[in-house]
């Protein structure tokens, strides 16, 4: 059987998840629960890279994906990579999330812009998080991803390098240059 490793995945993850999943399909409840627990961690990482600016929504999307995996488990073909099958489900659920979110935002257009009562918020951390997310969106991936993973998510440089496919020195340089670019944007000199 040809071994396929998804970009950014760790060797052995495919084999471990696949073995647990197949044992779960064959009635091993403990293996299936372990599969779901392990998969949950991988899905969080997958989603943090894609919707890092919407951290509050990650758990909801993870649950949607896990439910879809469970409901679709009968469609999995054991001769194919499990990670590719799960990745396809995750992509579709992520697209569903974005579609639903854009519909919700369209329905929430303000009715009266003249009312200033909601113009300021006492939730400064939430505002700051949103503002940082907007600033980070302006950076190229080679700067944004190291900052997100190391500075915001607390991963090590080594873990970030393995996750992004960058060298450790490129991660360090990306952080330095990205923070420098963010500072320039905040000062208004960029």
């Amino acid at each position: 059987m040809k071994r396929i490793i998804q970009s950014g995945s760790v060797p052995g993850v495919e084999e471990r998840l696949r073995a647990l999943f197949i044992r779960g399909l064959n009635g091993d409840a403990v293996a299936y629960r372990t599969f779901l627990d392990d998969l949950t961690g991988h899905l969080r990482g997958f989603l943090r890279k894609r919707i890092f600016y919407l951290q509050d929504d990650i758990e909801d999307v993870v649950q949607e994906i896990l439910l879809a995996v469970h409901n679709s488990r009968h469609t999995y073909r054991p001769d194919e990579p499990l990670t590719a099958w799960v990745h396809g489900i995750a992509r579709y659920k992520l697209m569903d999330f974005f579609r639903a979110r854009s519909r919700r935002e369209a329905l929430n257009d303000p009715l009266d812009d003249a009312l200033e009562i909601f113009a300021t918020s006492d939730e400064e951390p939430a505002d700051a998080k949103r503002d940082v997310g907007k600033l980070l969106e302006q950076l190229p991936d080679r700067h944004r991803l190291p900052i997100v993973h190391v500075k915001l998510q607390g991963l090590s440089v080594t873990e970030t390098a393995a996750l992004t496919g960058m060298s450790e020195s490129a991660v360090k340089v990306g952080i330095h240059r990205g923070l420098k670019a963010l500072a320039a944007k905040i000062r208004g000199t960029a």
Side-chain angles (χ1 to χ4, degrees), residues 47-112:
L47 293 170
R48 281 188 190 116
K49 287 192 305 188
R50 284 151 183 82
I51 57 173
F52 63 90
Y53 51 93
L54 299 171
Q55 292 294 314
D56 296 338
D57 294 312
I58 287 177
E59 284 305 312
D60 292 338
V61 179
V62 166
Q63 294 305 314
E64 287 292 324
I65 295 169
L66 289 174
L67 187 60
V69 165
H70 178 74
N71 289 337
S72 302
R73 65 190 183 279
H74 66 280
T75 67
Y76 174 68
R77 293 185 300 232
D79 59 327
E80 295 194 9
L82 177 72
T83 51
W85 180 73
V86 170
H87 187 258
I89 292 171
R91 269 195 340 256
Y92 283 110
K93 286 299 172 183
L94 193 55
M95 287 189 294
D96 288 347
F97 165 76
F98 285 128
R99 274 190 223 107
R101 190 167 193 277
S102 67
R103 273 186 245 127
R104 261 194 330 264
E105 287 174 355
L107 293 173
N108 290 327
D109 285 339
L111 298 176
D112 189 357

